[in-house]
Amino acid sequence: MSANNSMVTSSQFLISPFEHEEFAHDTGQHENLLFIHCRKTGLKAIIAIHNTTLGPALGGCRYWHYDTSGAALTDALRLSKGMTYKNALANIPFGGGKAVILAQKDQPKTPQMLQAFGAHIGRLSGTYITAEDVGMSLADMDEIAKKTNHARGTTAAGIGDPSPYTATGVFEGIKAALNHCYGNPTLLNRTISIQGLGLVGYQLARLLHVAGAKLMVSDINAIATQKAHQEFGAKVIPPEQAHSALADVYAPCALGAVINSSSIGQIQAKIVAGSANNQLASDEYGQALHQKGIVYAPDYAINAGGVIAIATATKQTAKQEIEARLHSIGHTLSEIFTIAAKQNLPTNEVANQLAQERLENAAKQMDHAA
Ligand code: NAD
């Protein structure tokens, strides 16, 4: 042992993955962990299968520069668990899984590396189904699909970029929230503050504009906000004012953790509903929003449009069929809002309970059938 050991920052990897915080505290949930190292192509990846009660584990593959392999493992374990809950709440017959490819400093992502990754997915015989996530492209998915049938969102089998479906789902969710608050889902003359005009945010802006909403938009990219100003007559505001804007709905569509100790007291909108992942800096902010009387659409319920589309899409599926399924996001959110109001609970807690119930019921049915 050298003195350098004291400088190791990734404590997770000094212990077995079985003792890893996310794994150990999640007894009976994560089912499978696969560490892949292909020396020929340089591929280093982790596939985490969290729960397959509802079906094969479906979740994207992330390509990311992690500071430590422990950080990559933590990400895979957390994200795969999140997919179990998201897929359960979206009512699709899939469990939760996620893969991460550890980007290496001096080694670019190559077709060979992606094909090696596909071959490993192939060996899992459909227990894990992959899709696009941060750092991956449609072309990357097509490389993976050369070696496995268990890749979605490819040119051959998929829908391509899922963000239009995510935007439609968020649009449905905003209408459900308005209906819950005002007894009417209409967007005419409602004011929405959209934070982030990227793939999802811009398409959401278009849908809201067509439905008659007044838009306030913010982004660190001035080209996007100017475009929205010209195209939709949107009022451009600084990104740091998006949450405190005098609007009916605050729609975070950029970063996570935007509901935090400094923003919570400044939110003016009655509704928080947007696509961003992990909007609550921690679960306690769900309670804080509830206490302030703000209706929060849990992020993983409202942003499920992309995964619903990926799960539904086949070569034969019509676009209209997928879009019809996106309406279920509005129904699920209405159910969450109603239960939360009746039981005086934060909506994020109710969403977790509903997902958990669906998993437990499916597990009981499986036990029954066995
Ligand atoms: P994107 O990268 O295309 O867009 C993000 C936008 O946010 C960019 O325009 C960026 O300039 C802007 N931005 C960055 N920092 C900002 C800040 N401080 N203030 C205001 N704007 C800022 O991403 P996307 O695909 O549109 O996804 C948006 C969010 O929705 C992300 O949190 C993503 O994880 C989540 N999400 C996306 C999908 C999907 O289908 N794309 C699905 C589920 C969840």
Side-chain angles (χ1 to χ4, degrees):
M1 289 256 171
S2 79
N4 276 346
N5 270 341
S6 61
M7 293 172 70
V8 174
T9 51
S10 167
S11 59
Q12 291 101 322
F13 254 54
L14 299 177
I15 55 170
S16 125
F18 281 108
E19 275 79 51
H20 184 284
E21 194 188 348
E22 293 287 324
F23 206 95
H25 292 179
D26 196 18
T27 325
Q29 294 270 298
H30 279 99
E31 295 175 6
N32 218 328
L33 253 182
L34 181 67
F35 293 83
I36 302 165
H37 189 183
C38 173
R39 285 170 177 78
K40 200 169 148 199
T41 63
L43 170 73
K44 278 189 180 170
I46 302 171
I47 297 176
I49 295 175
H50 178 254
N51 188 306
T52 56
T53 306
L54 294 172
L58 171 65
C61 170
R62 182 166 286 197
Y63 179 85
W64 194 251
H65 280 276
Y66 291 98
D67 286 343
T68 64
S69 43
L73 174 60
T74 302
D75 215 21
L77 290 169
R78 281 197 189 143
L79 292 168
S80 58
K81 182 176 179 181
M83 287 311 298
T84 297
Y85 279 74
K86 185 170 187 162
N87 293 346
L89 210 53
N91 252 331
I92 53 176
F94 291 94
K98 202 87 181 184
V100 296
I101 297 181
L102 288 75
Q104 312 292 312
K105 254 189 197 142
D106 306 318
Q107 195 152 29
K109 185 167 60 177
T110 61
Q112 293 73 18
M113 191 186 271
L114 295 166
Q115 287 177 29
F117 180 62
H120 278 278
I121 293 173
R123 286 182 206 164
L124 295 173
S125 310
T127 315
Y128 168 65
I129 299 169
T130 199
E132 199 179 318
D133 198 81
V134 176
M136 298 290 282
S137 66
L138 178 61
D140 294 338
M141 296 314 300
D142 288 345
E143 287 300 336
I144 292 171
K146 285 181 181 167
K147 299 289 178 184
T148 178
N149 291 327
H150 305 297
R152 299 277 177 120
T154 60
T155 305
I159 46 154
D161 172 19
S163 62
Y165 302 98
T166 305
T168 302
V170 175
F171 179 70
E172 292 297 327
I174 289 176
K175 284 195 293 182
L178 287 169
N179 194 36
H180 178 75
C181 286
Y182 303 108
N184 191 334
T186 185
L187 280 149
L188 192 65
N189 292 327
R190 290 279 174 214
T191 306
I192 323 286
S193 168
I194 305 179
Q195 185 177 36
L197 287 176
L199 287 171
V200 179
Y202 205 87
Q203 294 173 89
L204 175 66
R206 175 171 289 115
L207 293 169
L208 292 168
H209 170 69
V210 170
K214 293 181 197 161
L215 301 180
M216 293 164 117
V217 296
S218 52
D219 197 295
I220 50 171
N221 173 5
I223 297 173
T225 50
Q226 272 316 308
K227 200 168 160 235
H229 173 65
Q230 282 160 10
E231 212 177 328
F232 314 133
K235 182 179 174 193
V236 179
I237 60 172
E240 61 278 9
Q241 287 176 16
H243 67 277
S244 58
L246 200 56
D248 296 302
V249 181
Y250 164 42
C253 295
L255 311 171
V258 287
I259 313 294
N260 53 43
S261 56
S262 54
S263 68
I264 188 85
Q266 301 170 352
I267 299 170
Q268 308 247 26
K270 218 172 153 48
I271 294 167
V272 175
S275 73
N277 277 316
N278 305 319
Q279 290 170 34
L280 305 177
S282 66
D283 278 353
E284 70 200 70
Y285 291 104
Q287 176 68 29
L289 286 172
H290 175 64
Q291 277 168 356
K292 278 173 66 81
I294 296 171
V295 172
Y296 167 61
D299 44 18
Y300 74 88
I302 195 169
N303 72 16
V307 79
I308 290 175
I310 283 168
T312 313
T314 63
K315 258 185 173 172
Q316 290 75 31
T317 325
K319 209 176 163 191
Q320 292 87 326
E321 190 182 327
I322 298 174
E323 286 189 345
R325 293 199 179 210
L326 298 179
H327 290 297
S328 69
I329 290 178
H331 299 149
T332 301
L333 282 168
S334 297
E335 189 182 352
I336 290 170
F337 298 145
T338 306
I339 296 172
K342 263 193 198 149
Q343 300 185 3
N344 194 21
L345 286 173
T347 52
N348 56 319
E349 240 174 69
V350 174
N352 287 345
Q353 278 174 14
L354 273 182
Q356 194 63 46
E357 266 169 34
R358 286 181 187 172
L359 288 167
E360 282 165 10
N361 288 342
K364 273 184 207 151
Q365 277 173 19
M366 280 164 75
D367 284 349
H368 214 65

